[in-house]
Amino acid sequence: MEGFLVSKTLFCACELGVFEQLHESQRPLSVSELAVSLGCSEDGTERLLNACVSLELLNANTDPHGTVVYSNTEMSSVFLTKSSPTSLFHSIEYSSRTIYLCWHYLNDAVREGKNQYEKAFGVNSKDLFEALYRSDEEMVKFMHLMNSIWNICGRDVVTAFDLSPFRCICDLGGDFFKDELPQADLYILARILHDWTDQRSVELLAKIYHSCRPGGGVLLVESLLYEDDSGPLTAQLYSLNMLVQTEGRERKASDYSRLLNAAGFTHVHIHHTGKIYDAILARK
Ligand SMILES: C[S@@+](CC[C@H](N)C(=O)[O-])C[C@H]1O[C@@H](n2cnc3c(N)ncnc32)[C@H](O)[C@@H]1O
């Protein structure tokens, strides 16, 4: 019931720069020092910092003068400071400024069975990515969101299969629904099909099949649902997120096999990484 209070506390501390400030100062800081450097009220800052201590995002210690001073925990240093190679700062910022606002209309999304861009941002979502990239700033924020997770999960999905037989690997740019696709041995579609309906997914996969060299294949990277619908919770929540934000959904391995087979691909191999994203390899 109160999970959103925790999320908002994390969003607020990140966006106001608490973890960054503590990282840059290279020494623990008191409430009043942090309040001044963040430009915030002392009372509000103290409540925020203490909630972060209970969430194990900050350490609190008393210095020799009897003043309570705060520092980042290891988890915050690794995931919440901007300069860390495994920083989730941009994902958190996008969750706060975009996803959180869309989820305000989750009831409507479930009722209507469609995304809520119009209500959340006043933009028409007929062309999904025109809505998502409604300004250069939004596009850059989305790119940061997309990139940040691969610093944590990328290795597991790219090492899930031996890709060494594929000499020419293609990451599709342009407009993959309209443009002619280049010939390649392997096409990588990471978090692409989950944006689209079954029909559009098969349309794209069939185009890829047509351009794919014989013996080549396609590597899908997606968050897989269990076959019996019992989880994982993260994939189920992501599927709701696909509802509020896109035209697609998260799917089971058998759903992706069906789409791949409908486009002509065979020999579908599934690799569950045990983390957020899984890998599926299919051959022409
Ligand atoms: C959910 S993001 C995944 C990005 C990246 N593959 C990853 O996993 O981090 C979906 C991507 O599809 C791209 N996209 C959407 N429609 C497209 C189209 N018609 N042609 C080419 N790319 C498109 C978007 O620009 C966005 O980069």
Side-chain angles (χ1 to χ4, degrees), residues 129 133 142-143 146-147 149-150 171-178 189-192 194-196:
F129 277 86
Y133 298 158
F142 185 80
M143 293 297 154
M146 288 295 108
N147 290 342
I149 199 68
W150 295 129
D171 182 19
L172 292 172
D175 184 338
F176 49 48
F177 286 118
K178 289 200 186 117
L189 297 183
R191 299 188 286 183
I192 300 295
H194 77 165
D195 290 332
W196 306 105

PDB file of all heavy atoms in Angstrom, residues 129 133 142-143 146-147 149-150 171-178 189-192 194-196, ligand 1:
ATOM      1  N   PHE A 129       6.360   6.502 -30.701  1.00  0.00           N
ATOM      2  CA  PHE A 129       7.663   7.092 -30.395  1.00  0.00           C
ATOM      3  C   PHE A 129       7.712   8.591 -30.670  1.00  0.00           C
ATOM      4  O   PHE A 129       8.573   9.282 -30.140  1.00  0.00           O
ATOM      5  CB  PHE A 129       8.792   6.297 -31.064  1.00  0.00           C
ATOM      6  CG  PHE A 129       9.153   5.110 -30.225  1.00  0.00           C
ATOM      7  CD1 PHE A 129       8.460   3.915 -30.345  1.00  0.00           C
ATOM      8  CD2 PHE A 129      10.125   5.206 -29.240  1.00  0.00           C
ATOM      9  CE1 PHE A 129       8.744   2.834 -29.525  1.00  0.00           C
ATOM     10  CE2 PHE A 129      10.421   4.131 -28.418  1.00  0.00           C
ATOM     11  CZ  PHE A 129       9.733   2.945 -28.558  1.00  0.00           C
ATOM     12  N   TYR A 133       9.187  10.709 -27.732  1.00  0.00           N
ATOM     13  CA  TYR A 133      10.272  11.654 -28.049  1.00  0.00           C
ATOM     14  C   TYR A 133       9.679  13.029 -28.351  1.00  0.00           C
ATOM     15  O   TYR A 133      10.036  13.671 -29.326  1.00  0.00           O
ATOM     16  CB  TYR A 133      11.051  11.166 -29.271  1.00  0.00           C
ATOM     17  CG  TYR A 133      11.755   9.827 -29.107  1.00  0.00           C
ATOM     18  CD1 TYR A 133      12.101   9.067 -30.214  1.00  0.00           C
ATOM     19  CD2 TYR A 133      12.097   9.334 -27.854  1.00  0.00           C
ATOM     20  CE1 TYR A 133      12.764   7.855 -30.087  1.00  0.00           C
ATOM     21  CE2 TYR A 133      12.752   8.118 -27.718  1.00  0.00           C
ATOM     22  CZ  TYR A 133      13.081   7.383 -28.832  1.00  0.00           C
ATOM     23  OH  TYR A 133      13.735   6.180 -28.708  1.00  0.00           O
ATOM     24  N   PHE A 142      15.051   9.464 -22.273  1.00  0.00           N
ATOM     25  CA  PHE A 142      14.676   8.080 -22.566  1.00  0.00           C
ATOM     26  C   PHE A 142      15.916   7.249 -22.904  1.00  0.00           C
ATOM     27  O   PHE A 142      16.059   6.115 -22.446  1.00  0.00           O
ATOM     28  CB  PHE A 142      13.662   8.049 -23.727  1.00  0.00           C
ATOM     29  CG  PHE A 142      13.137   6.683 -24.023  1.00  0.00           C
ATOM     30  CD1 PHE A 142      12.133   6.128 -23.240  1.00  0.00           C
ATOM     31  CD2 PHE A 142      13.637   5.927 -25.073  1.00  0.00           C
ATOM     32  CE1 PHE A 142      11.644   4.852 -23.505  1.00  0.00           C
ATOM     33  CE2 PHE A 142      13.157   4.655 -25.342  1.00  0.00           C
ATOM     34  CZ  PHE A 142      12.155   4.115 -24.561  1.00  0.00           C
ATOM     35  N   MET A 143      16.829   7.846 -23.693  1.00  0.00           N
ATOM     36  CA  MET A 143      18.072   7.132 -24.059  1.00  0.00           C
ATOM     37  C   MET A 143      18.903   6.802 -22.807  1.00  0.00           C
ATOM     38  O   MET A 143      19.431   5.712 -22.673  1.00  0.00           O
ATOM     39  CB  MET A 143      18.930   7.987 -25.011  1.00  0.00           C
ATOM     40  CG  MET A 143      18.307   8.186 -26.371  1.00  0.00           C
ATOM     41  SD  MET A 143      18.120   6.628 -27.217  1.00  0.00           S
ATOM     42  CE  MET A 143      16.779   6.985 -28.302  1.00  0.00           C
ATOM     43  N   MET A 146      17.281   3.935 -21.113  1.00  0.00           N
ATOM     44  CA  MET A 146      17.535   2.672 -21.807  1.00  0.00           C
ATOM     45  C   MET A 146      18.954   2.183 -21.541  1.00  0.00           C
ATOM     46  O   MET A 146      19.171   1.014 -21.245  1.00  0.00           O
ATOM     47  CB  MET A 146      17.339   2.877 -23.321  1.00  0.00           C
ATOM     48  CG  MET A 146      15.901   3.037 -23.740  1.00  0.00           C
ATOM     49  SD  MET A 146      14.941   1.539 -23.438  1.00  0.00           S
ATOM     50  CE  MET A 146      13.931   1.998 -22.079  1.00  0.00           C
ATOM     51  N   ASN A 147      19.924   3.097 -21.633  1.00  0.00           N
ATOM     52  CA  ASN A 147      21.326   2.677 -21.523  1.00  0.00           C
ATOM     53  C   ASN A 147      21.704   2.207 -20.124  1.00  0.00           C
ATOM     54  O   ASN A 147      22.482   1.280 -19.970  1.00  0.00           O
ATOM     55  CB  ASN A 147      22.251   3.826 -21.933  1.00  0.00           C
ATOM     56  CG  ASN A 147      22.175   4.087 -23.425  1.00  0.00           C
ATOM     57  OD1 ASN A 147      21.715   3.229 -24.178  1.00  0.00           O
ATOM     58  ND2 ASN A 147      22.611   5.252 -23.846  1.00  0.00           N
ATOM     59  N   ILE A 149      20.485   0.510 -17.687  1.00  0.00           N
ATOM     60  CA  ILE A 149      20.291  -0.847 -17.166  1.00  0.00           C
ATOM     61  C   ILE A 149      21.299  -1.837 -17.755  1.00  0.00           C
ATOM     62  O   ILE A 149      21.656  -2.827 -17.121  1.00  0.00           O
ATOM     63  CB  ILE A 149      18.838  -1.349 -17.394  1.00  0.00           C
ATOM     64  CG1 ILE A 149      18.505  -2.524 -16.460  1.00  0.00           C
ATOM     65  CG2 ILE A 149      18.599  -1.770 -18.833  1.00  0.00           C
ATOM     66  CD1 ILE A 149      18.423  -2.188 -15.026  1.00  0.00           C
ATOM     67  N   TRP A 150      21.823  -1.527 -18.989  1.00  0.00           N
ATOM     68  CA  TRP A 150      22.746  -2.502 -19.608  1.00  0.00           C
ATOM     69  C   TRP A 150      24.105  -2.533 -18.915  1.00  0.00           C
ATOM     70  O   TRP A 150      24.837  -3.511 -19.035  1.00  0.00           O
ATOM     71  CB  TRP A 150      22.884  -2.236 -21.110  1.00  0.00           C
ATOM     72  CG  TRP A 150      21.578  -2.455 -21.812  1.00  0.00           C
ATOM     73  CD1 TRP A 150      20.951  -1.606 -22.655  1.00  0.00           C
ATOM     74  CD2 TRP A 150      20.713  -3.604 -21.695  1.00  0.00           C
ATOM     75  NE1 TRP A 150      19.741  -2.129 -23.072  1.00  0.00           N
ATOM     76  CE2 TRP A 150      19.580  -3.355 -22.497  1.00  0.00           C
ATOM     77  CE3 TRP A 150      20.770  -4.801 -20.997  1.00  0.00           C
ATOM     78  CZ2 TRP A 150      18.523  -4.256 -22.606  1.00  0.00           C
ATOM     79  CZ3 TRP A 150      19.722  -5.706 -21.101  1.00  0.00           C
ATOM     80  CH2 TRP A 150      18.625  -5.430 -21.902  1.00  0.00           C
ATOM     81  N   ASP A 171      22.187  -3.873 -35.491  1.00  0.00           N
ATOM     82  CA  ASP A 171      21.303  -3.218 -34.530  1.00  0.00           C
ATOM     83  C   ASP A 171      20.509  -2.209 -35.354  1.00  0.00           C
ATOM     84  O   ASP A 171      21.065  -1.240 -35.859  1.00  0.00           O
ATOM     85  CB  ASP A 171      22.145  -2.515 -33.459  1.00  0.00           C
ATOM     86  CG  ASP A 171      21.279  -1.844 -32.398  1.00  0.00           C
ATOM     87  OD1 ASP A 171      20.093  -2.208 -32.286  1.00  0.00           O
ATOM     88  OD2 ASP A 171      21.797  -0.952 -31.698  1.00  0.00           O
ATOM     89  N   LEU A 172      19.239  -2.474 -35.522  1.00  0.00           N
ATOM     90  CA  LEU A 172      18.445  -1.708 -36.498  1.00  0.00           C
ATOM     91  C   LEU A 172      18.256  -0.255 -36.095  1.00  0.00           C
ATOM     92  O   LEU A 172      17.891   0.047 -34.964  1.00  0.00           O
ATOM     93  CB  LEU A 172      17.064  -2.357 -36.660  1.00  0.00           C
ATOM     94  CG  LEU A 172      17.054  -3.726 -37.318  1.00  0.00           C
ATOM     95  CD1 LEU A 172      15.663  -4.330 -37.238  1.00  0.00           C
ATOM     96  CD2 LEU A 172      17.502  -3.634 -38.760  1.00  0.00           C
ATOM     97  N   GLY A 173      18.508   0.641 -37.055  1.00  0.00           N
ATOM     98  CA  GLY A 173      18.187   2.062 -36.852  1.00  0.00           C
ATOM     99  C   GLY A 173      17.107   2.445 -37.843  1.00  0.00           C
ATOM    100  O   GLY A 173      16.278   1.612 -38.206  1.00  0.00           O
ATOM    101  N   GLY A 174      17.147   3.706 -38.307  1.00  0.00           N
ATOM    102  CA  GLY A 174      16.169   4.147 -39.313  1.00  0.00           C
ATOM    103  C   GLY A 174      14.757   3.939 -38.848  1.00  0.00           C
ATOM    104  O   GLY A 174      14.478   4.038 -37.652  1.00  0.00           O
ATOM    105  N   ASP A 175      13.853   3.615 -39.768  1.00  0.00           N
ATOM    106  CA  ASP A 175      12.487   3.237 -39.402  1.00  0.00           C
ATOM    107  C   ASP A 175      12.297   1.790 -39.826  1.00  0.00           C
ATOM    108  O   ASP A 175      12.105   1.499 -40.996  1.00  0.00           O
ATOM    109  CB  ASP A 175      11.458   4.144 -40.089  1.00  0.00           C
ATOM    110  CG  ASP A 175      10.035   3.813 -39.634  1.00  0.00           C
ATOM    111  OD1 ASP A 175       9.811   2.680 -39.154  1.00  0.00           O
ATOM    112  OD2 ASP A 175       9.161   4.680 -39.748  1.00  0.00           O
ATOM    113  N   PHE A 176      12.383   0.881 -38.837  1.00  0.00           N
ATOM    114  CA  PHE A 176      12.383  -0.543 -39.189  1.00  0.00           C
ATOM    115  C   PHE A 176      11.047  -1.048 -39.723  1.00  0.00           C
ATOM    116  O   PHE A 176      10.981  -2.131 -40.276  1.00  0.00           O
ATOM    117  CB  PHE A 176      12.943  -1.417 -38.073  1.00  0.00           C
ATOM    118  CG  PHE A 176      12.403  -1.192 -36.674  1.00  0.00           C
ATOM    119  CD1 PHE A 176      11.052  -1.103 -36.418  1.00  0.00           C
ATOM    120  CD2 PHE A 176      13.298  -1.127 -35.599  1.00  0.00           C
ATOM    121  CE1 PHE A 176      10.575  -0.931 -35.122  1.00  0.00           C
ATOM    122  CE2 PHE A 176      12.837  -0.952 -34.305  1.00  0.00           C
ATOM    123  CZ  PHE A 176      11.461  -0.840 -34.060  1.00  0.00           C
ATOM    124  N   PHE A 177       9.993  -0.267 -39.590  1.00  0.00           N
ATOM    125  CA  PHE A 177       8.720  -0.693 -40.190  1.00  0.00           C
ATOM    126  C   PHE A 177       8.626  -0.273 -41.659  1.00  0.00           C
ATOM    127  O   PHE A 177       7.977  -0.941 -42.449  1.00  0.00           O
ATOM    128  CB  PHE A 177       7.525  -0.100 -39.419  1.00  0.00           C
ATOM    129  CG  PHE A 177       7.296  -0.760 -38.089  1.00  0.00           C
ATOM    130  CD1 PHE A 177       7.392  -0.027 -36.908  1.00  0.00           C
ATOM    131  CD2 PHE A 177       6.991  -2.110 -38.000  1.00  0.00           C
ATOM    132  CE1 PHE A 177       7.183  -0.632 -35.676  1.00  0.00           C
ATOM    133  CE2 PHE A 177       6.789  -2.731 -36.776  1.00  0.00           C
ATOM    134  CZ  PHE A 177       6.882  -1.988 -35.603  1.00  0.00           C
ATOM    135  N   LYS A 178       9.307   0.825 -42.003  1.00  0.00           N
ATOM    136  CA  LYS A 178       9.171   1.368 -43.370  1.00  0.00           C
ATOM    137  C   LYS A 178      10.387   1.100 -44.261  1.00  0.00           C
ATOM    138  O   LYS A 178      10.247   0.787 -45.430  1.00  0.00           O
ATOM    139  CB  LYS A 178       8.955   2.888 -43.292  1.00  0.00           C
ATOM    140  CG  LYS A 178       7.592   3.283 -42.743  1.00  0.00           C
ATOM    141  CD  LYS A 178       7.240   4.710 -43.128  1.00  0.00           C
ATOM    142  CE  LYS A 178       5.945   5.168 -42.458  1.00  0.00           C
ATOM    143  NZ  LYS A 178       6.141   6.289 -41.550  1.00  0.00           N
ATOM    144  N   LEU A 189      17.295  -7.552 -31.245  1.00  0.00           N
ATOM    145  CA  LEU A 189      16.121  -6.745 -30.885  1.00  0.00           C
ATOM    146  C   LEU A 189      15.981  -6.769 -29.366  1.00  0.00           C
ATOM    147  O   LEU A 189      15.413  -7.707 -28.795  1.00  0.00           O
ATOM    148  CB  LEU A 189      14.841  -7.319 -31.514  1.00  0.00           C
ATOM    149  CG  LEU A 189      14.744  -7.355 -33.045  1.00  0.00           C
ATOM    150  CD1 LEU A 189      13.385  -7.878 -33.467  1.00  0.00           C
ATOM    151  CD2 LEU A 189      14.988  -5.982 -33.646  1.00  0.00           C
ATOM    152  N   ALA A 190      16.560  -5.762 -28.722  1.00  0.00           N
ATOM    153  CA  ALA A 190      16.486  -5.693 -27.254  1.00  0.00           C
ATOM    154  C   ALA A 190      15.353  -4.764 -26.858  1.00  0.00           C
ATOM    155  O   ALA A 190      15.374  -3.578 -27.236  1.00  0.00           O
ATOM    156  CB  ALA A 190      17.820  -5.192 -26.681  1.00  0.00           C
ATOM    157  N   ARG A 191      14.404  -5.279 -26.140  1.00  0.00           N
ATOM    158  CA  ARG A 191      13.252  -4.506 -25.659  1.00  0.00           C
ATOM    159  C   ARG A 191      12.552  -3.762 -26.804  1.00  0.00           C
ATOM    160  O   ARG A 191      12.152  -2.619 -26.660  1.00  0.00           O
ATOM    161  CB  ARG A 191      13.694  -3.523 -24.566  1.00  0.00           C
ATOM    162  CG  ARG A 191      14.272  -4.221 -23.375  1.00  0.00           C
ATOM    163  CD  ARG A 191      14.531  -3.273 -22.246  1.00  0.00           C
ATOM    164  NE  ARG A 191      15.691  -2.424 -22.498  1.00  0.00           N
ATOM    165  CZ  ARG A 191      16.155  -1.542 -21.623  1.00  0.00           C
ATOM    166  NH1 ARG A 191      15.553  -1.390 -20.467  1.00  0.00           N
ATOM    167  NH2 ARG A 191      17.219  -0.814 -21.889  1.00  0.00           N
ATOM    168  N   ILE A 192      12.479  -4.420 -27.958  1.00  0.00           N
ATOM    169  CA  ILE A 192      11.779  -3.819 -29.099  1.00  0.00           C
ATOM    170  C   ILE A 192      10.364  -4.402 -29.181  1.00  0.00           C
ATOM    171  O   ILE A 192       9.381  -3.662 -29.162  1.00  0.00           O
ATOM    172  CB  ILE A 192      12.530  -4.091 -30.425  1.00  0.00           C
ATOM    173  CG1 ILE A 192      13.936  -3.494 -30.371  1.00  0.00           C
ATOM    174  CG2 ILE A 192      11.723  -3.569 -31.607  1.00  0.00           C
ATOM    175  CD1 ILE A 192      14.017  -1.987 -30.286  1.00  0.00           C
ATOM    176  N   HIS A 194       8.461  -5.819 -27.100  1.00  0.00           N
ATOM    177  CA  HIS A 194       7.538  -5.556 -25.989  1.00  0.00           C
ATOM    178  C   HIS A 194       6.798  -4.222 -26.150  1.00  0.00           C
ATOM    179  O   HIS A 194       5.841  -3.962 -25.447  1.00  0.00           O
ATOM    180  CB  HIS A 194       8.245  -5.654 -24.625  1.00  0.00           C
ATOM    181  CG  HIS A 194       9.101  -4.491 -24.254  1.00  0.00           C
ATOM    182  ND1 HIS A 194       9.548  -4.280 -22.968  1.00  0.00           N
ATOM    183  CD2 HIS A 194       9.600  -3.465 -24.991  1.00  0.00           C
ATOM    184  CE1 HIS A 194      10.283  -3.174 -22.931  1.00  0.00           C
ATOM    185  NE2 HIS A 194      10.321  -2.655 -24.143  1.00  0.00           N
ATOM    186  N   ASP A 195       7.254  -3.388 -27.115  1.00  0.00           N
ATOM    187  CA  ASP A 195       6.560  -2.114 -27.369  1.00  0.00           C
ATOM    188  C   ASP A 195       5.345  -2.286 -28.286  1.00  0.00           C
ATOM    189  O   ASP A 195       4.537  -1.359 -28.418  1.00  0.00           O
ATOM    190  CB  ASP A 195       7.504  -1.114 -28.062  1.00  0.00           C
ATOM    191  CG  ASP A 195       8.604  -0.614 -27.143  1.00  0.00           C
ATOM    192  OD1 ASP A 195       8.378  -0.587 -25.919  1.00  0.00           O
ATOM    193  OD2 ASP A 195       9.677  -0.249 -27.658  1.00  0.00           O
ATOM    194  N   TRP A 196       5.250  -3.463 -28.952  1.00  0.00           N
ATOM    195  CA  TRP A 196       4.308  -3.581 -30.067  1.00  0.00           C
ATOM    196  C   TRP A 196       3.337  -4.743 -29.902  1.00  0.00           C
ATOM    197  O   TRP A 196       3.607  -5.697 -29.179  1.00  0.00           O
ATOM    198  CB  TRP A 196       5.083  -3.733 -31.384  1.00  0.00           C
ATOM    199  CG  TRP A 196       6.087  -2.638 -31.575  1.00  0.00           C
ATOM    200  CD1 TRP A 196       7.451  -2.719 -31.440  1.00  0.00           C
ATOM    201  CD2 TRP A 196       5.823  -1.250 -31.875  1.00  0.00           C
ATOM    202  NE1 TRP A 196       8.032  -1.495 -31.654  1.00  0.00           N
ATOM    203  CE2 TRP A 196       7.062  -0.569 -31.927  1.00  0.00           C
ATOM    204  CE3 TRP A 196       4.638  -0.523 -32.125  1.00  0.00           C
ATOM    205  CZ2 TRP A 196       7.154   0.795 -32.202  1.00  0.00           C
ATOM    206  CZ3 TRP A 196       4.756   0.839 -32.402  1.00  0.00           C
ATOM    207  CH2 TRP A 196       5.995   1.473 -32.440  1.00  0.00           C
TER     208      TRP A 196
HETATM  209  C1  LIG B   1      12.381   0.241 -25.422  1.00  0.00           C
HETATM  210  S1  LIG B   1      13.562   0.994 -26.459  1.00  0.00           S
HETATM  211  C2  LIG B   1      14.881  -0.183 -26.495  1.00  0.00           C
HETATM  212  C3  LIG B   1      16.205   0.438 -26.835  1.00  0.00           C
HETATM  213  C4  LIG B   1      17.418  -0.511 -26.800  1.00  0.00           C
HETATM  214  N1  LIG B   1      17.310  -1.582 -27.774  1.00  0.00           N
HETATM  215  C5  LIG B   1      17.613  -1.053 -25.406  1.00  0.00           C
HETATM  216  O1  LIG B   1      17.203  -2.181 -25.098  1.00  0.00           O
HETATM  217  O2  LIG B   1      18.178  -0.346 -24.567  1.00  0.00           O
HETATM  218  C6  LIG B   1      12.792   0.828 -28.027  1.00  0.00           C
HETATM  219  C7  LIG B   1      13.622   1.421 -29.154  1.00  0.00           C
HETATM  220  O3  LIG B   1      12.947   1.219 -30.403  1.00  0.00           O
HETATM  221  C8  LIG B   1      13.223   2.353 -31.222  1.00  0.00           C
HETATM  222  N2  LIG B   1      12.178   2.423 -32.262  1.00  0.00           N
HETATM  223  C9  LIG B   1      10.851   2.612 -32.082  1.00  0.00           C
HETATM  224  N3  LIG B   1      10.213   2.641 -33.279  1.00  0.00           N
HETATM  225  C10 LIG B   1      11.173   2.448 -34.223  1.00  0.00           C
HETATM  226  C11 LIG B   1      11.146   2.376 -35.662  1.00  0.00           C
HETATM  227  N4  LIG B   1      10.004   2.480 -36.316  1.00  0.00           N
HETATM  228  N5  LIG B   1      12.316   2.150 -36.316  1.00  0.00           N
HETATM  229  C12 LIG B   1      13.503   2.019 -35.625  1.00  0.00           C
HETATM  230  N6  LIG B   1      13.589   2.085 -34.265  1.00  0.00           N
HETATM  231  C13 LIG B   1      12.440   2.309 -33.587  1.00  0.00           C
HETATM  232  C14 LIG B   1      13.166   3.510 -30.257  1.00  0.00           C
HETATM  233  O4  LIG B   1      13.832   4.646 -30.770  1.00  0.00           O
HETATM  234  C15 LIG B   1      13.861   2.924 -29.020  1.00  0.00           C
HETATM  235  O5  LIG B   1      15.246   3.175 -29.100  1.00  0.00           O
END
